[in-house]
Amino acid sequence: MLPRRTVAAFAAAGLLLPLSACGSGFDDSARPATQQAGPATLKVMIAASGGAELKAMQDAAAAWSSAGGGSKAEVVSANDLPQQLSQGFAAGSPPDVFAVDATKFEGYAAEMLPYGDALSYKDDIYPTLRKTFTRDGKLYCAPKDFSTLALAINTDDWTAAGLTDNDVPKTWDQLKTVAQKLTTGGRTGLVFNDTRDRIGAFLVQAGGWAVDADQKKATADTPQNLQALTYVRDLLASGTAKYPKQIGAGDSSEAFGQHKASLSIDGNWLVGGMKKDYPNVKYRVVALPAGPAGPGTLSFTQCWGIAAKSKFQEQAKQLVDSFMQPQQQLAFAEAFGVIPSRQSVRAQYEQKFPAQSAFVAGADHAHGPVTLGKMDPVLTDFDAQLQQLPGADPKRILQQLQQNTAAALGQ
Amino acid sequence: MGTLLTEPVAPGTAPLRGTRGRRPLRRDGRAGWLFLAPTLIVLGLFMVLPILMALWVSVSDWTGNGSPFSSRVNSVGGDNYAALLTEPGLTRQNFATSVRNNGYFVLFVVPLQTAFALFLALVLHQKKLKGRQFFRTAFYFPTVTSSVAISVVFLFLFSSTGTVNAALKLFGVDGPSWFADPRGIFHLALGDPANPPSALVGHGFLGLSWWDWLSGPSVAMCSIIVLVVWTSTGGFMLMFYAALQNLPPSVDEAALIDGATAWQRFWRVTLPQLRPTLFLVLTLGLIGTWQVFDQVYVLSRGNPANTTLTPAYLSYSSSFIGHQWGQGAAIAFLLFVVIVAFTLVQRWALRERR
């Protein structure tokens, strides 16, 4: 027999269980949220890259709030966006508007209002970004902005090694040659981060990718991907390329800024970071060299999600519209260095920020990330394997990726 | 934590129960329950209920949207546990990897921190020691500092051009890039063979080959081990120190008169008297090390190559990042089982032999 106090404790817990289950926090989320018209107070959650981004967003929200209509918007920056969003959804009180990273998009889609197809400026958004946030033929949300990868060159090292404009690498072979020439005793030629978010660009340039266009089939174990990984492995094995941690840097931007490497494959956040932290380093940015299948780069993007549970969806749409206005997009670009997601402001943007032109040019052949949430552990495992290059066998890495992807996609 | 320890029995409880009649006991009991009610309600609401909810989540397909008790959430039985334990695939492999990593972590941290803590306490206990106050504070200091702050300092110390490697260079050693090195130290001790014995590679357990199980902690994990030993030793030192202060000096003096050497007195007299404290330190150490999370979250997030992945971090990442809430909860319960099992084994090993 159980001791009496144990029985009593369980009885108390048993009493509490149904009581709290009837409480307001446990409503059945199958019901659509009742919409409320009129002035609203919208909660907006982003993962700000820094103070500049948060301030720009808050300014934009304040401008919208004072523009009439009586609604207000409060922008907060999450310390850990996936975690805080998850908490919000689980508790049934998510923020009305939130930034959704493309790599996590599918995981949130069920909790988002698919409003994208009704946008008047839908066709103005870069096709690659639209494609990223489309699921079952529906555009779920308005792509906020984006970034792409390009090659940053330290111009002092470049001239010191006797290289000229004609040597700017256009192919993989040329990249290898210049990286070799730039590798000196204390400095590495080329640096890039040890994840799919950099090395994936080589896969794209070789004509491969982890999954097919519809993200329904695993396409990891292909000759194209093998060619790309073998090339990367050889770069690393020869010592002309290194991962940032091998040369004592947190990431490739830091390695490049601290002059531990002369070339870096990086996104356009590099421009702002260099200006802020390493203003004396002279550099230029060129497009990534093309692979056997042509030019290729990766795009990183977020969109403005609207919670399906929000009571103020109309007001939220208006807020997003105000964020997506061309002038507002340019203001954001100026504040924290992202590229506007609308093509109509491209010319203006390039004129204003000539240093970013190589990144913008990448938009034409950029590949979006895998957006399936269930692929997250698979790709994390892929990263883990990539970190072991050059010691690992590319063929085995791809076989493992193929197997895991197939399992995750339920093939 | 405390629930796993043996509860101290209040002196005099047993005789009282015998002398009392049945009726007064019941009346006292009612009043007792009344006084206990607030605590019971709080414990029920904030401990028992969440645990039961988590147990339900671990056998459901909850997606993290709305209530786990809503009609759209279905039971999936033991599927989440099966994916972790029996079904071949990435989930099982990751779980096994995390258990292996944490196993080595426990294997290194618990003995090291216990030994260091005891050693420091003995040093402090020396009557001749001057500036005892200062050393007591100095040794305890890492424990009161935030683990996040210390982790960030260690990031700098162990960066590949950091202080640790600079110090190693003085001795002509080329230090590794600590947080980027996924190689296991047992593998390294064997010269990191390119072709490991096929008997070990071909067979395995939970989707991980024996060769992988035997890798030892990775170089990256070793730096976390150093960090945790350094931070937690101070707290345990204080426990040993308090226990040492309470030992009757007469026993030690008697041994001295009997002609026991210093080593014999420590090993045969002092240490046996410290058994309850040793038990406490080992138990707290075991529980704490199996739950290691903050350092992993701040320093590595499981990288490099999943060699600093621990069940606690895997549970977090499966739930919050992978949206696999059932799996995350299942990992938490398996971790609970592991901790209870280890504590029972330890309790059995340290039992009073008569």
Side-chain angles (χ1 to χ4, degrees), chain B residues 101-102 105 217-226 307-310:
Chain B
N101 298 338
N102 213 337
F105 180 77
S218 68
V219 174
M221 186 55 116
C222 285
S223 35
I224 299 186
I225 289 173
V226 173
T307 58
T308 60
L309 192 69
T310 65

Side-chain angles (χ1 to χ4, degrees), chain B residues 133-263:
Chain B
Q133 202 82 7
F134 167 76
F135 285 112
R136 208 164 49 192
T137 316
F139 293 157
Y140 191 55
F141 197 70
T143 310
V144 288
T145 314
S146 141
S147 62
V148 173
I150 289 181
S151 301
V152 174
V153 172
F154 267 66
L155 264 184
F156 287 106
L157 288 180
F158 281 91
S159 105
S160 65
T161 51
T163 318
V164 173
N165 278 357
L168 285 175
K169 209 164 217 159
L170 293 178
F171 300 97
V173 180
D174 226 355
S177 44
W178 293 87
F179 286 114
D181 200 332
R183 292 171 300 169
I185 57 167
F186 293 172
H187 284 179
L188 281 177
L190 297 172
D192 204 14
N195 293 309
S198 57
L200 290 174
V201 175
H203 305 83
F205 174 61
L206 285 181
L208 224 56
S209 73
W210 291 119
W211 176 248
D212 285 332
W213 279 105
L214 294 173
S215 68
S218 68
V219 174
M221 186 55 116
C222 285
S223 35
I224 299 186
I225 289 173
V226 173
L227 186 158
V228 171
V229 168
W230 187 65
T231 46
S232 56
T233 296
F236 294 131
M237 172 204 74
L238 220 56
M239 294 180 193
F240 278 125
Y241 183 62
L244 281 171
Q245 300 266 307
N246 276 333
L247 295 186
S250 53
V251 179
D252 201 47
E253 280 157 15
L256 194 65
I257 292 167
D258 285 345
T261 63
W263 181 247

